[in-house]
Short mmCIF file of all heavy atoms in Angstrom, two decimals:
data_model
loop_
_atom_site.label_atom_id
_atom_site.label_comp_id
_atom_site.label_asym_id
_atom_site.label_seq_id
_atom_site.Cartn_x
_atom_site.Cartn_y
_atom_site.Cartn_z
N GLU A 1 13.92 13.49 6.43
CA GLU A 1 13.29 12.57 5.51
C GLU A 1 12.06 11.94 6.16
O GLU A 1 11.00 11.88 5.53
CB GLU A 1 14.30 11.51 5.10
CG GLU A 1 13.74 10.51 4.12
CD GLU A 1 14.79 9.49 3.72
OE1 GLU A 1 15.94 9.87 3.48
OE2 GLU A 1 14.43 8.32 3.67
N ASP A 2 12.19 11.48 7.39
CA ASP A 2 11.05 10.88 8.08
C ASP A 2 9.99 11.93 8.36
O ASP A 2 8.80 11.64 8.31
CB ASP A 2 11.53 10.20 9.37
CG ASP A 2 10.48 9.28 9.94
OD1 ASP A 2 9.87 8.54 9.14
OD2 ASP A 2 10.27 9.31 11.16
N TRP A 3 10.42 13.16 8.65
CA TRP A 3 9.49 14.25 8.91
C TRP A 3 8.63 14.53 7.67
O TRP A 3 7.44 14.78 7.77
CB TRP A 3 10.26 15.49 9.34
CG TRP A 3 9.43 16.73 9.33
CD1 TRP A 3 9.54 17.77 8.48
CD2 TRP A 3 8.35 17.04 10.19
NE1 TRP A 3 8.59 18.72 8.75
CE2 TRP A 3 7.85 18.29 9.81
CE3 TRP A 3 7.74 16.36 11.26
CZ2 TRP A 3 6.76 18.90 10.45
CZ3 TRP A 3 6.67 16.98 11.89
CH2 TRP A 3 6.20 18.22 11.49
N THR A 4 9.23 14.47 6.49
CA THR A 4 8.50 14.72 5.26
C THR A 4 7.43 13.66 5.03
O THR A 4 6.30 13.98 4.67
CB THR A 4 9.47 14.75 4.07
OG1 THR A 4 10.50 15.68 4.33
CG2 THR A 4 8.76 15.12 2.80
N ARG A 5 7.77 12.41 5.24
CA ARG A 5 6.80 11.33 5.08
C ARG A 5 5.65 11.47 6.07
O ARG A 5 4.49 11.28 5.71
CB ARG A 5 7.47 9.98 5.26
CG ARG A 5 8.34 9.59 4.12
CD ARG A 5 8.82 8.17 4.30
NE ARG A 5 10.13 8.08 3.73
CZ ARG A 5 11.12 7.35 4.18
NH1 ARG A 5 10.95 6.60 5.24
NH2 ARG A 5 12.28 7.34 3.59
N LEU A 6 6.00 11.80 7.31
CA LEU A 6 4.97 11.97 8.33
C LEU A 6 4.06 13.14 7.99
O LEU A 6 2.84 13.03 8.10
CB LEU A 6 5.62 12.19 9.70
CG LEU A 6 4.66 12.46 10.85
CD1 LEU A 6 3.76 11.26 11.07
CD2 LEU A 6 5.44 12.80 12.11
N ALA A 7 4.62 14.24 7.55
CA ALA A 7 3.81 15.42 7.20
C ALA A 7 2.90 15.12 6.01
O ALA A 7 1.73 15.52 6.00
CB ALA A 7 4.72 16.60 6.90
N LEU A 8 3.41 14.41 5.03
CA LEU A 8 2.61 14.07 3.87
C LEU A 8 1.47 13.12 4.24
O LEU A 8 0.32 13.33 3.83
CB LEU A 8 3.49 13.43 2.79
CG LEU A 8 2.86 13.15 1.45
CD1 LEU A 8 2.34 14.42 0.82
CD2 LEU A 8 3.86 12.49 0.53
N ALA A 9 1.77 12.10 5.02
CA ALA A 9 0.73 11.16 5.45
C ALA A 9 -0.31 11.85 6.31
O ALA A 9 -1.52 11.66 6.11
CB ALA A 9 1.37 9.99 6.20
N ALA A 10 0.12 12.66 7.27
CA ALA A 10 -0.82 13.36 8.14
C ALA A 10 -1.66 14.37 7.35
O ALA A 10 -2.87 14.48 7.57
CB ALA A 10 -0.07 14.07 9.26
N GLY A 11 -1.05 15.07 6.43
CA GLY A 11 -1.79 16.04 5.62
C GLY A 11 -2.86 15.38 4.78
O GLY A 11 -3.99 15.89 4.68
N LEU A 12 -2.55 14.25 4.18
CA LEU A 12 -3.54 13.55 3.37
C LEU A 12 -4.64 12.94 4.23
O LEU A 12 -5.81 12.91 3.82
CB LEU A 12 -2.87 12.49 2.51
CG LEU A 12 -2.12 13.05 1.31
CD1 LEU A 12 -1.31 11.96 0.64
CD2 LEU A 12 -3.07 13.68 0.32
N LEU A 13 -4.31 12.48 5.43
CA LEU A 13 -5.35 11.98 6.33
C LEU A 13 -6.27 13.11 6.77
O LEU A 13 -7.49 12.92 6.86
CB LEU A 13 -4.71 11.29 7.54
CG LEU A 13 -4.14 9.91 7.28
CD1 LEU A 13 -3.36 9.42 8.49
CD2 LEU A 13 -5.25 8.94 6.93
N VAL A 14 -5.71 14.28 7.03
CA VAL A 14 -6.54 15.44 7.38
C VAL A 14 -7.43 15.82 6.20
O VAL A 14 -8.61 16.12 6.37
CB VAL A 14 -5.66 16.62 7.85
CG1 VAL A 14 -6.46 17.91 7.92
CG2 VAL A 14 -5.02 16.30 9.18
N LEU A 15 -6.87 15.82 4.99
CA LEU A 15 -7.66 16.11 3.80
C LEU A 15 -8.83 15.14 3.66
O LEU A 15 -9.96 15.54 3.37
CB LEU A 15 -6.78 16.07 2.55
CG LEU A 15 -7.49 16.23 1.22
CD1 LEU A 15 -8.04 17.64 1.08
CD2 LEU A 15 -6.53 15.93 0.08
N LEU A 16 -8.57 13.86 3.87
CA LEU A 16 -9.62 12.86 3.78
C LEU A 16 -10.69 13.09 4.85
O LEU A 16 -11.89 13.00 4.57
CB LEU A 16 -9.03 11.46 3.91
CG LEU A 16 -9.99 10.29 3.78
CD1 LEU A 16 -10.63 10.27 2.39
CD2 LEU A 16 -9.28 8.98 4.04
N ALA A 17 -10.27 13.40 6.07
CA ALA A 17 -11.23 13.65 7.15
C ALA A 17 -12.08 14.88 6.85
O ALA A 17 -13.30 14.87 7.07
CB ALA A 17 -10.48 13.83 8.48
N VAL A 18 -11.47 15.94 6.35
CA VAL A 18 -12.22 17.15 6.00
C VAL A 18 -13.21 16.85 4.88
O VAL A 18 -14.36 17.31 4.92
CB VAL A 18 -11.25 18.30 5.60
CG1 VAL A 18 -11.99 19.44 4.94
CG2 VAL A 18 -10.49 18.79 6.82
N LEU A 19 -12.79 16.08 3.91
CA LEU A 19 -13.68 15.72 2.81
C LEU A 19 -14.88 14.91 3.30
O LEU A 19 -16.02 15.19 2.93
CB LEU A 19 -12.91 14.92 1.75
CG LEU A 19 -13.69 14.49 0.52
CD1 LEU A 19 -14.11 15.70 -0.29
CD2 LEU A 19 -12.84 13.56 -0.32
N VAL A 20 -14.63 13.93 4.16
CA VAL A 20 -15.72 13.08 4.66
C VAL A 20 -16.67 13.88 5.55
O VAL A 20 -17.89 13.84 5.38
CB VAL A 20 -15.14 11.87 5.43
CG1 VAL A 20 -16.22 11.15 6.21
CG2 VAL A 20 -14.46 10.92 4.46
N LEU A 21 -16.11 14.63 6.49
CA LEU A 21 -16.96 15.41 7.40
C LEU A 21 -17.69 16.53 6.67
O LEU A 21 -18.87 16.79 6.94
CB LEU A 21 -16.12 15.97 8.55
CG LEU A 21 -15.52 14.92 9.49
CD1 LEU A 21 -14.59 15.59 10.50
CD2 LEU A 21 -16.61 14.14 10.19
N GLY A 22 -17.00 17.19 5.77
CA GLY A 22 -17.64 18.27 5.01
C GLY A 22 -18.75 17.77 4.12
O GLY A 22 -19.83 18.37 4.05
N THR A 23 -18.53 16.66 3.44
CA THR A 23 -19.55 16.09 2.58
C THR A 23 -20.74 15.60 3.39
O THR A 23 -21.89 15.84 3.02
CB THR A 23 -18.97 14.94 1.74
OG1 THR A 23 -17.83 15.41 1.03
CG2 THR A 23 -19.98 14.41 0.76
N GLY A 24 -20.46 14.95 4.51
CA GLY A 24 -21.55 14.47 5.37
C GLY A 24 -22.39 15.60 5.92
O GLY A 24 -23.63 15.53 5.92
N SER A 25 -21.74 16.66 6.37
CA SER A 25 -22.50 17.79 6.90
C SER A 25 -23.27 18.52 5.80
O SER A 25 -24.38 19.00 6.02
CB SER A 25 -21.58 18.76 7.65
OG SER A 25 -20.61 19.29 6.77
N PHE A 26 -22.70 18.58 4.60
CA PHE A 26 -23.41 19.21 3.48
C PHE A 26 -24.68 18.44 3.14
O PHE A 26 -25.73 19.04 2.89
CB PHE A 26 -22.49 19.29 2.26
CG PHE A 26 -23.08 20.02 1.10
CD1 PHE A 26 -23.05 21.41 1.06
CD2 PHE A 26 -23.68 19.34 0.05
CE1 PHE A 26 -23.61 22.10 0.01
CE2 PHE A 26 -24.24 20.02 -1.01
CZ PHE A 26 -24.21 21.40 -1.04
N VAL A 27 -24.60 17.11 3.15
CA VAL A 27 -25.78 16.30 2.86
C VAL A 27 -26.82 16.45 3.96
O VAL A 27 -28.02 16.45 3.68
CB VAL A 27 -25.38 14.82 2.65
CG1 VAL A 27 -26.59 13.91 2.61
CG2 VAL A 27 -24.58 14.67 1.38
N LEU A 28 -26.38 16.59 5.20
CA LEU A 28 -27.34 16.81 6.29
C LEU A 28 -28.06 18.14 6.15
O LEU A 28 -29.26 18.25 6.44
CB LEU A 28 -26.64 16.73 7.65
CG LEU A 28 -26.20 15.34 8.09
CD1 LEU A 28 -25.40 15.43 9.39
CD2 LEU A 28 -27.40 14.44 8.28
N VAL A 29 -27.36 19.16 5.72
CA VAL A 29 -27.95 20.49 5.59
C VAL A 29 -28.80 20.59 4.32
O VAL A 29 -29.88 21.18 4.33
CB VAL A 29 -26.86 21.58 5.61
CG1 VAL A 29 -27.44 22.94 5.31
CG2 VAL A 29 -26.14 21.59 6.95
N TYR A 30 -28.31 20.03 3.23
CA TYR A 30 -29.01 20.10 1.93
C TYR A 30 -29.29 18.68 1.42
O TYR A 30 -28.63 18.19 0.51
CB TYR A 30 -28.16 20.83 0.90
CG TYR A 30 -27.77 22.23 1.30
CD1 TYR A 30 -26.47 22.51 1.70
CD2 TYR A 30 -28.70 23.26 1.29
CE1 TYR A 30 -26.11 23.79 2.07
CE2 TYR A 30 -28.34 24.53 1.65
CZ TYR A 30 -27.05 24.80 2.05
OH TYR A 30 -26.71 26.07 2.41
N PRO A 31 -30.29 18.00 1.98
CA PRO A 31 -30.53 16.61 1.58
C PRO A 31 -30.97 16.45 0.11
O PRO A 31 -30.76 15.40 -0.48
CB PRO A 31 -31.62 16.13 2.53
CG PRO A 31 -32.18 17.34 3.16
CD PRO A 31 -31.18 18.43 3.04
N LYS A 32 -31.54 17.48 -0.48
CA LYS A 32 -31.99 17.38 -1.88
C LYS A 32 -30.82 17.43 -2.86
O LYS A 32 -30.98 17.12 -4.03
CB LYS A 32 -32.98 18.48 -2.21
CG LYS A 32 -34.29 18.31 -1.47
CD LYS A 32 -35.30 19.32 -1.88
CE LYS A 32 -36.59 19.07 -1.10
NZ LYS A 32 -37.67 19.89 -1.58
N LYS A 33 -29.66 17.80 -2.39
CA LYS A 33 -28.47 17.87 -3.25
C LYS A 33 -27.67 16.57 -3.25
O LYS A 33 -26.57 16.50 -3.76
CB LYS A 33 -27.54 19.01 -2.79
CG LYS A 33 -28.16 20.36 -2.77
CD LYS A 33 -27.93 21.03 -4.06
CE LYS A 33 -28.46 22.46 -3.96
NZ LYS A 33 -28.33 23.16 -5.19
N GLU A 34 -28.24 15.53 -2.67
CA GLU A 34 -27.51 14.26 -2.54
C GLU A 34 -27.04 13.69 -3.88
O GLU A 34 -25.91 13.18 -3.96
CB GLU A 34 -28.36 13.24 -1.79
CG GLU A 34 -27.59 12.00 -1.44
CD GLU A 34 -28.39 11.05 -0.57
OE1 GLU A 34 -29.42 11.46 0.00
OE2 GLU A 34 -27.97 9.90 -0.46
N PRO A 35 -27.82 13.74 -4.96
CA PRO A 35 -27.30 13.22 -6.24
C PRO A 35 -26.04 13.96 -6.71
O PRO A 35 -25.12 13.34 -7.25
CB PRO A 35 -28.46 13.41 -7.20
CG PRO A 35 -29.67 13.44 -6.35
CD PRO A 35 -29.24 14.08 -5.06
N ALA A 36 -26.00 15.27 -6.52
CA ALA A 36 -24.81 16.03 -6.92
C ALA A 36 -23.62 15.66 -6.04
O ALA A 36 -22.48 15.55 -6.52
CB ALA A 36 -25.09 17.52 -6.83
N VAL A 37 -23.87 15.45 -4.77
CA VAL A 37 -22.79 15.06 -3.85
C VAL A 37 -22.28 13.67 -4.21
O VAL A 37 -21.08 13.41 -4.17
CB VAL A 37 -23.28 15.12 -2.38
CG1 VAL A 37 -22.25 14.52 -1.44
CG2 VAL A 37 -23.59 16.55 -1.99
N GLU A 38 -23.18 12.78 -4.58
CA GLU A 38 -22.78 11.44 -4.98
C GLU A 38 -21.88 11.48 -6.22
O GLU A 38 -20.86 10.79 -6.28
CB GLU A 38 -24.01 10.59 -5.26
CG GLU A 38 -23.69 9.15 -5.55
CD GLU A 38 -24.93 8.31 -5.77
OE1 GLU A 38 -26.04 8.77 -5.46
OE2 GLU A 38 -24.77 7.20 -6.27
N ALA A 39 -22.23 12.32 -7.18
CA ALA A 39 -21.39 12.46 -8.38
C ALA A 39 -20.03 13.05 -8.02
O ALA A 39 -19.00 12.62 -8.54
CB ALA A 39 -22.10 13.34 -9.40
N PHE A 40 -20.03 14.02 -7.11
CA PHE A 40 -18.77 14.62 -6.65
C PHE A 40 -17.89 13.57 -5.97
O PHE A 40 -16.68 13.51 -6.21
CB PHE A 40 -19.08 15.77 -5.69
CG PHE A 40 -17.88 16.30 -4.97
CD1 PHE A 40 -16.97 17.12 -5.63
CD2 PHE A 40 -17.65 15.99 -3.65
CE1 PHE A 40 -15.87 17.62 -4.97
CE2 PHE A 40 -16.55 16.47 -2.98
CZ PHE A 40 -15.65 17.30 -3.64
N LEU A 41 -18.50 12.76 -5.12
CA LEU A 41 -17.72 11.75 -4.41
C LEU A 41 -17.14 10.71 -5.36
O LEU A 41 -16.02 10.25 -5.16
CB LEU A 41 -18.58 11.08 -3.34
CG LEU A 41 -18.86 11.92 -2.10
CD1 LEU A 41 -19.76 11.16 -1.15
CD2 LEU A 41 -17.59 12.34 -1.41
N LYS A 42 -17.89 10.33 -6.38
CA LYS A 42 -17.37 9.37 -7.35
C LYS A 42 -16.16 9.94 -8.08
O LYS A 42 -15.23 9.22 -8.42
CB LYS A 42 -18.44 8.98 -8.36
CG LYS A 42 -19.47 8.04 -7.81
CD LYS A 42 -20.50 7.70 -8.86
CE LYS A 42 -21.58 6.81 -8.29
NZ LYS A 42 -22.65 6.55 -9.26
N LEU A 43 -16.19 11.23 -8.30
CA LEU A 43 -15.10 11.87 -9.04
C LEU A 43 -13.88 12.13 -8.16
O LEU A 43 -12.75 11.97 -8.60
CB LEU A 43 -15.61 13.19 -9.63
CG LEU A 43 -14.65 13.97 -10.49
CD1 LEU A 43 -14.36 13.21 -11.77
CD2 LEU A 43 -15.24 15.33 -10.83
N VAL A 44 -14.09 12.51 -6.91
CA VAL A 44 -13.00 12.99 -6.06
C VAL A 44 -12.62 12.01 -4.95
O VAL A 44 -11.44 11.81 -4.68
CB VAL A 44 -13.39 14.36 -5.43
CG1 VAL A 44 -12.36 14.83 -4.45
CG2 VAL A 44 -13.60 15.39 -6.51
N PHE A 45 -13.60 11.40 -4.32
CA PHE A 45 -13.35 10.60 -3.13
C PHE A 45 -12.52 9.36 -3.42
O PHE A 45 -11.57 9.05 -2.69
CB PHE A 45 -14.68 10.22 -2.48
CG PHE A 45 -14.55 9.56 -1.15
CD1 PHE A 45 -14.14 10.28 -0.04
CD2 PHE A 45 -14.86 8.22 -0.97
CE1 PHE A 45 -14.02 9.69 1.19
CE2 PHE A 45 -14.74 7.63 0.26
CZ PHE A 45 -14.32 8.37 1.34
N THR A 46 -12.84 8.65 -4.47
CA THR A 46 -12.14 7.40 -4.79
C THR A 46 -10.65 7.61 -5.04
O THR A 46 -9.82 6.89 -4.45
CB THR A 46 -12.81 6.70 -5.98
OG1 THR A 46 -14.19 6.52 -5.69
CG2 THR A 46 -12.16 5.37 -6.27
N PRO A 47 -10.25 8.59 -5.86
CA PRO A 47 -8.81 8.80 -6.04
C PRO A 47 -8.09 9.25 -4.76
O PRO A 47 -6.96 8.85 -4.52
CB PRO A 47 -8.71 9.88 -7.11
CG PRO A 47 -10.01 9.89 -7.79
CD PRO A 47 -11.01 9.40 -6.80
N ILE A 48 -8.78 10.05 -3.95
CA ILE A 48 -8.14 10.52 -2.71
C ILE A 48 -7.94 9.36 -1.74
O ILE A 48 -6.90 9.26 -1.08
CB ILE A 48 -8.94 11.67 -2.08
CG1 ILE A 48 -8.78 12.92 -2.95
CG2 ILE A 48 -8.48 11.95 -0.66
CD1 ILE A 48 -9.51 14.13 -2.46
N VAL A 49 -8.91 8.47 -1.65
CA VAL A 49 -8.75 7.29 -0.78
C VAL A 49 -7.59 6.43 -1.26
O VAL A 49 -6.79 5.95 -0.46
CB VAL A 49 -10.06 6.49 -0.71
CG1 VAL A 49 -9.84 5.13 -0.06
CG2 VAL A 49 -11.11 7.25 0.06
N GLY A 50 -7.47 6.25 -2.57
CA GLY A 50 -6.35 5.49 -3.11
C GLY A 50 -5.02 6.15 -2.82
O GLY A 50 -4.04 5.48 -2.45
N LEU A 51 -4.97 7.46 -2.97
CA LEU A 51 -3.74 8.20 -2.69
C LEU A 51 -3.38 8.13 -1.22
O LEU A 51 -2.21 7.88 -0.87
CB LEU A 51 -3.91 9.66 -3.13
CG LEU A 51 -2.70 10.56 -2.98
CD1 LEU A 51 -1.56 10.07 -3.85
CD2 LEU A 51 -3.08 11.99 -3.35
N VAL A 52 -4.35 8.32 -0.35
CA VAL A 52 -4.09 8.25 1.10
C VAL A 52 -3.62 6.85 1.48
O VAL A 52 -2.67 6.70 2.24
CB VAL A 52 -5.35 8.65 1.90
CG1 VAL A 52 -5.20 8.32 3.37
CG2 VAL A 52 -5.63 10.14 1.73
N GLY A 53 -4.27 5.83 0.94
CA GLY A 53 -3.86 4.46 1.24
C GLY A 53 -2.43 4.17 0.79
O GLY A 53 -1.66 3.54 1.51
N SER A 54 -2.08 4.66 -0.39
CA SER A 54 -0.72 4.44 -0.89
C SER A 54 0.32 5.16 -0.03
O SER A 54 1.35 4.59 0.31
CB SER A 54 -0.61 4.93 -2.33
OG SER A 54 -1.45 4.19 -3.15
N VAL A 55 0.05 6.40 0.30
CA VAL A 55 1.02 7.19 1.07
C VAL A 55 1.15 6.65 2.48
O VAL A 55 2.27 6.51 3.00
CB VAL A 55 0.62 8.68 1.07
CG1 VAL A 55 1.43 9.46 2.08
CG2 VAL A 55 0.79 9.27 -0.31
N VAL A 56 0.04 6.32 3.12
CA VAL A 56 0.12 5.80 4.49
C VAL A 56 0.79 4.43 4.49
O VAL A 56 1.62 4.14 5.36
CB VAL A 56 -1.29 5.74 5.12
CG1 VAL A 56 -1.29 4.97 6.42
CG2 VAL A 56 -1.82 7.15 5.35
N GLY A 57 0.49 3.59 3.51
CA GLY A 57 1.16 2.30 3.40
C GLY A 57 2.65 2.44 3.18
O GLY A 57 3.46 1.72 3.76
N PHE A 58 3.04 3.39 2.33
CA PHE A 58 4.46 3.64 2.09
C PHE A 58 5.13 4.15 3.36
O PHE A 58 6.24 3.74 3.71
CB PHE A 58 4.63 4.65 0.96
CG PHE A 58 6.05 5.03 0.71
CD1 PHE A 58 6.92 4.15 0.09
CD2 PHE A 58 6.53 6.26 1.11
CE1 PHE A 58 8.24 4.49 -0.14
CE2 PHE A 58 7.85 6.62 0.89
CZ PHE A 58 8.70 5.73 0.27
N TYR A 59 4.45 5.05 4.07
CA TYR A 59 5.03 5.62 5.30
C TYR A 59 5.27 4.52 6.33
O TYR A 59 6.36 4.39 6.87
CB TYR A 59 4.12 6.69 5.86
CG TYR A 59 4.56 7.18 7.22
CD1 TYR A 59 5.70 7.97 7.35
CD2 TYR A 59 3.86 6.85 8.37
CE1 TYR A 59 6.13 8.41 8.59
CE2 TYR A 59 4.28 7.29 9.61
CZ TYR A 59 5.41 8.05 9.72
OH TYR A 59 5.83 8.48 10.94
N PHE A 60 4.24 3.73 6.62
CA PHE A 60 4.41 2.70 7.64
C PHE A 60 5.27 1.54 7.14
O PHE A 60 5.97 0.91 7.91
CB PHE A 60 3.05 2.20 8.13
CG PHE A 60 2.37 3.17 9.05
CD1 PHE A 60 1.23 3.84 8.64
CD2 PHE A 60 2.87 3.43 10.30
CE1 PHE A 60 0.60 4.75 9.47
CE2 PHE A 60 2.28 4.35 11.14
CZ PHE A 60 1.13 5.00 10.72
N GLY A 61 5.23 1.26 5.85
CA GLY A 61 6.08 0.21 5.30
C GLY A 61 7.55 0.56 5.37
O GLY A 61 8.41 -0.30 5.54
N SER A 62 7.86 1.84 5.21
CA SER A 62 9.26 2.25 5.26
C SER A 62 9.78 2.35 6.68
O SER A 62 10.98 2.36 6.90
CB SER A 62 9.44 3.59 4.55
OG SER A 62 8.76 4.61 5.25
N ARG A 63 8.89 2.40 7.65
CA ARG A 63 9.31 2.50 9.04
C ARG A 63 9.60 1.15 9.66
O ARG A 63 10.35 1.05 10.63
CB ARG A 63 8.21 3.18 9.88
CG ARG A 63 8.09 4.64 9.56
CD ARG A 63 7.16 5.27 10.51
NE ARG A 63 7.64 4.95 11.86
CZ ARG A 63 7.45 5.71 12.92
NH1 ARG A 63 6.79 6.82 12.79
NH2 ARG A 63 7.89 5.38 14.10
N LEU A 64 9.00 0.08 9.13
CA LEU A 64 9.21 -1.24 9.70
C LEU A 64 10.56 -1.80 9.26
O LEU A 64 10.93 -1.68 8.10
CB LEU A 64 8.08 -2.18 9.25
CG LEU A 64 6.68 -1.81 9.71
CD1 LEU A 64 5.67 -2.77 9.11
CD2 LEU A 64 6.59 -1.84 11.22
N PRO A 65 11.28 -2.42 10.16
CA PRO A 65 12.56 -3.03 9.78
C PRO A 65 12.30 -4.26 8.89
O PRO A 65 11.30 -4.96 9.06
CB PRO A 65 13.19 -3.43 11.10
CG PRO A 65 12.04 -3.57 12.06
CD PRO A 65 10.99 -2.59 11.58
N ASN A 66 13.18 -4.49 7.96
CA ASN A 66 13.07 -5.67 7.10
C ASN A 66 13.48 -6.91 7.88
O ASN A 66 14.59 -6.98 8.41
CB ASN A 66 13.99 -5.52 5.87
CG ASN A 66 13.48 -4.45 4.95
OD1 ASN A 66 12.30 -4.12 4.96
ND2 ASN A 66 14.37 -3.90 4.13
N LYS A 67 12.59 -7.88 7.95
CA LYS A 67 12.88 -9.12 8.67
C LYS A 67 13.14 -10.21 7.65
O LYS A 67 12.38 -10.39 6.72
CB LYS A 67 11.70 -9.50 9.56
CG LYS A 67 11.50 -8.51 10.69
CD LYS A 67 10.37 -8.95 11.58
CE LYS A 67 10.20 -7.93 12.70
NZ LYS A 67 9.10 -8.26 13.57
N GLY A 68 14.21 -10.90 7.83
CA GLY A 68 14.53 -12.01 6.96
C GLY A 68 15.19 -11.62 5.65
O GLY A 68 15.34 -12.42 4.78
N SER A 69 15.53 -10.38 5.50
CA SER A 69 16.19 -9.94 4.25
C SER A 69 17.66 -9.80 4.45
O SER A 69 18.15 -9.36 5.40
CB SER A 69 15.64 -8.59 3.81
OG SER A 69 14.28 -8.70 3.50
#
């Protein structure tokens, strides 16, 4: 069970890193395509960041012992 949470959190963090690095390198190589990249990021980047934040928060939140409960 813990392995599944770790794999999911790590996989989504890797996905986010690939997206950020890939988009940044694409803009460096093709600077005139920046408006298209911006539209892509608005469509894809925001939901992925939300998903990664939720999964990582759930993973670390479930690992901490409940204090005072």
Side-chain angles (χ1 to χ4, degrees):
E1 181 179 317
D2 194 43
W3 167 249
T4 306
R5 287 187 213 145
L6 177 63
L8 187 60
L12 285 171
L13 284 172
V14 168
L15 174 68
L16 183 62
V18 167
L19 181 66
V20 168
L21 295 174
T23 305
S25 61
F26 185 82
V27 169
L28 288 175
V29 173
Y30 303 106
K32 292 185 180 188
K33 302 269 185 183
E34 189 174 344
V37 171
E38 185 178 347
F40 170 76
L41 286 178
K42 285 180 183 175
L43 183 67
V44 175
F45 188 70
T46 305
I48 289 180
V49 168
L51 183 63
V52 168
S54 297
V55 169
V56 169
F58 176 74
Y59 172 71
F60 285 111
S62 66
R63 290 188 54 152
L64 297 176
N66 291 338
K67 293 183 180 178
S69 296

